Amino acid sequence: MRIISKQWIAGLSVALFTGNMTMAQSNQTLHLNHHIMENTHPTHYRNIKVNNLNLFYREAGPANAPAILLLHGYPTSSHMFRNLIPILSKKYHVIAPDLPGFGYSDAPDHHEFSYTFDNLAETIQKFVDKLEMKRFAIYIFDYGAPVGLRLAMNNPEKITGIISQNGNAYEEGLSSEWNPIRKYWEETTEANRLALQGFVSKEITLFQYHHGVSDPSLIAPEAYTLDQKFLDRPGNIEIQLDLVKDYRSNVALYPKFHEYFRKYQPKLLLVWGNKDPYFLPQGAEAYKKDIPDARLKFYDTGHFALETNAEEIGAEILQFMDTVSMK
């Protein structure tokens, strides 16, 4: 970060009030002053050992504030929360890990680490325990949903609330885009596995980011470029195909998730891109069958709603968190 001296700021202020400033300099000054006033809780980039795995995570906000655990999906990492974290960390202690096999966390060979959602959830459970997180809300998205909901079922006393952003838990939320994957679930042949290799291609990554987005210029290219960089690592395709295969375990658990919802009635906010090609709006609406008081807000965007609507979603979360009891 560039260090800004008091003298430099004072000089800019004089120039502004005397008129000796270009429009570009004026805009830069306003941006810097806004940044200095608003960004009072910087994001820290940390690493922690969990079962001999290095897990990378982002952390921001007051350490003694109510906590929110952010769980990313496929094919991204905690990088997807880069615009949301500054909004939430003004008031909350925000922690966003990279799952094993994603982002800057370790990605051991799939013969050395079992890439199942049970194992991902167990790893995040140990992560939470090691950080001594006693009570927290969870933000679940895509793959982060079955991981986070396993965590919630196993630790109902810890969960203060759930924010689901295109985090599916109902069969009616699965679109026809899942049909080739369902075929692999039904017949786990090598031929069906090989047929899914295109799932990790650049073309599919771009499709996920752009489908349903009315203004593609809002999609930051570094987001999908970083995701693809990690997807293209040697051996990563086998990791991802193992997880695709195991996703059927999440569908099998849907009834258990619903039992948890009905029994504990957790506070729930649904913020959903309504043009998601994978997780349909019906999946968001289905939550209300089990949690009638859930708050549901649709956004006119695709799968990665934070890329286009981070400010609106952040504002919704702040309002929602005001209703959450941290006792």
Side-chain angles (χ1 to χ4, degrees):
M1 178 183 291
R2 180 179 179 182
I3 298 175
I4 305 169
S5 68
K6 293 180 180 178
Q7 293 86 351
W8 189 79
I9 294 175
L12 283 176
S13 300
V14 169
L16 178 61
F17 286 107
T18 59
N20 294 326
M21 176 174 282
T22 66
M23 182 61 71
Q25 288 172 321
S26 176
N27 289 340
Q28 183 184 22
T29 302
L30 293 172
H31 171 74
L32 286 168
N33 286 341
H34 176 78
H35 177 81
I36 292 166
M37 292 171 63
E38 295 292 327
N39 191 23
T40 55
H41 297 289
T43 299
H44 299 269
Y45 307 96
R46 307 190 189 281
N47 293 274
I48 191 171
K49 282 285 185 182
V50 175
N51 279 5
N52 294 320
L53 283 180
N54 175 68
L55 293 188
F56 170 88
Y57 66 103
R58 300 167 196 252
E59 182 175 19
N64 60 349
I68 306 176
L69 178 69
L70 309 179
L71 296 173
H72 70 83
Y74 173 88
T76 187
S77 64
S78 60
H79 181 257
M80 69 169 280
F81 299 117
R82 67 196 181 282
N83 297 320
L84 182 64
I85 289 173
I87 297 171
L88 301 184
S89 64
K90 296 171 191 175
K91 190 172 180 181
Y92 297 98
H93 184 197
V94 183
I95 295 175
D98 287 356
L99 296 171
F102 293 83
Y104 295 101
S105 288
D106 280 350
D109 184 272
H110 75 132
H111 294 300
E112 300 171 3
F113 181 86
S114 178
Y115 286 95
T116 66
F117 285 88
D118 279 346
N119 204 20
L120 293 184
E122 182 181 341
T123 302
I124 295 303
Q125 175 75 66
K126 291 177 179 177
F127 170 82
V128 164
D129 292 344
K130 197 159 188 179
L131 290 183
E132 299 182 346
M133 297 179 69
K134 304 299 184 187
R135 294 272 285 164
F136 53 89
I138 53 173
Y139 181 115
I140 56 176
F141 165 74
D142 190 87
Y143 278 10
V147 173
L149 293 177
R150 281 171 170 82
L151 199 67
M153 284 199 308
N154 294 332
N155 306 265
E157 76 288 351
K158 290 182 180 288
I159 305 303
T160 59
I162 300 172
I163 302 129
S164 179
Q165 185 254 298
N166 297 70
N168 194 62
Y170 292 84
E171 288 250 18
E172 47 263 64
L174 298 175
S175 77
S176 60
E177 293 290 337
W178 286 88
N179 289 351
I181 297 172
R182 286 182 182 273
K183 183 178 179 181
Y184 181 40
W185 296 345
E186 293 162 3
E187 299 178 57
T188 56
T189 64
E190 188 63 21
N192 284 342
R193 184 180 178 93
L194 290 173
L196 294 174
Q197 286 190 338
F199 183 64
V200 302
S201 68
K202 178 181 177 180
E203 291 74 20
I204 295 300
T205 301
L206 290 173
F207 170 78
Q208 289 187 73
Y209 270 91
H210 289 97
H211 182 85
V213 176
S214 58
D215 184 358
S217 70
L218 293 173
I219 304 297
E222 61 268 25
Y224 53 78
T225 301
L226 182 65
D227 287 354
Q228 196 61 44
K229 174 184 181 296
F230 288 123
L231 284 176
D232 290 341
R233 287 182 294 190
N236 190 266
I237 189 169
E238 300 301 334
I239 290 172
Q240 300 308 328
L241 291 177
D242 281 359
L243 286 170
V244 165
K245 177 183 177 182
D246 190 63
Y247 199 90
R248 60 186 175 181
S249 72
N250 303 326
V251 179
L253 268 182
Y254 283 175
K256 292 290 186 183
F257 294 160
H258 306 160
E259 287 178 20
Y260 162 78
F261 296 151
R262 289 192 294 270
K263 180 177 180 180
Y264 291 98
Q265 292 294 301
K267 285 277 190 179
L268 175 64
L269 170 65
L270 299 151
V271 281
W272 213 274
N274 65 3
K275 292 184 175 63
D276 188 331
Y278 299 103
F279 299 123
L280 303 172
Q282 294 94 310
E285 293 164 344
Y287 274 94
K288 294 179 73 69
K289 295 187 298 184
D290 296 311
I291 308 177
D293 292 336
R295 176 175 174 79
L296 172 57
K297 182 68 180 288
F298 284 119
Y299 296 86
D300 185 24
T301 192
H303 186 61
F304 287 103
L306 288 180
E307 294 299 314
T308 55
N309 296 82
E311 289 188 13
E312 298 96 320
I313 291 172
E316 283 288 338
I317 293 172
L318 291 176
Q319 290 182 21
F320 168 74
M321 290 298 295
D322 283 342
T323 72
V324 170
S325 171
M326 302 304 294
K327 295 179 181 179

